[in-house]
Amino acid sequence: LAMASQTVITTQPQFIVAQQQGEWQTGLLDCCSDCGVCLCGTFCLLCLSCQVAGDMDECCLCGSSVAMRTLYRTRYNIPGSILGDFCSMWWCGPCALCQLKRDINRRRGMGMF
């Protein structure tokens, strides 16, 4: 009876995917680049917040949070920090929320969202 030779694999090949550094599609103060979002943010910030949360499949109350901005930024590898997200949301909350919604809309339009 012949013995078959067996090979034991101790390591598997690894694939490392380096995610490219992303960037915001529009600037924090680029309100005129999407007037619909700007008007919604100006006159009904709560509605815009719920839209962003819905886009991100999160609770409606989370749309205008620092955590939501940080989650989005890390998902798309946009440089920044939690402190930067906090400052944006604290001092420029409506603008930061509009920026987030504009970015979602543009990425959706490009098939990247």
Side-chain angles (χ1 to χ4, degrees), residues 47-105:
C47 295
L48 186 61
S49 178
C50 288
Q51 286 178 19
V52 167
D55 289 339
M56 299 281 292
D57 293 326
E58 296 290 338
C59 170
C60 188
L61 300 175
C62 299
S64 60
S65 69
V66 173
M68 184 68 68
R69 185 173 174 88
T70 302
L71 172 69
Y72 187 85
R73 190 178 47 73
T74 55
R75 180 178 293 172
Y76 291 101
N77 204 25
I78 299 169
S81 65
I82 294 174
L83 179 60
D85 295 333
F86 173 80
C87 290
S88 295
M89 294 305 292
W90 182 259
W91 285 294
C92 303
C95 294
L97 190 60
C98 287
Q99 180 188 35
L100 186 54
K101 181 62 176 168
R102 286 191 309 269
D103 207 88
I104 289 169
N105 291 347

Side-chain angles (χ1 to χ4, degrees), residues 102-113:
R102 286 191 309 269
D103 207 88
I104 289 169
N105 291 347
R106 289 195 178 192
R107 288 182 194 275
R108 184 175 283 137
M110 294 185 292
M112 296 170 40
F113 183 76

Side-chain angles (χ1 to χ4, degrees), residues 10-75:
T10 57
T11 59
Q12 293 288 328
Q14 304 260 332
F15 294 100
I16 299 173
V17 177
Q19 189 177 11
Q20 286 185 323
Q21 186 167 330
E23 60 185 35
W24 290 105
Q25 301 295 309
T26 62
L28 186 62
L29 302 176
D30 286 343
C31 295
C32 294
S33 64
D34 188 332
C35 292
V37 170
C38 182
L39 289 171
C40 187
T42 301
F43 295 108
C44 192
L45 194 61
L46 184 59
C47 295
L48 186 61
S49 178
C50 288
Q51 286 178 19
V52 167
D55 289 339
M56 299 281 292
D57 293 326
E58 296 290 338
C59 170
C60 188
L61 300 175
C62 299
S64 60
S65 69
V66 173
M68 184 68 68
R69 185 173 174 88
T70 302
L71 172 69
Y72 187 85
R73 190 178 47 73
T74 55
R75 180 178 293 172

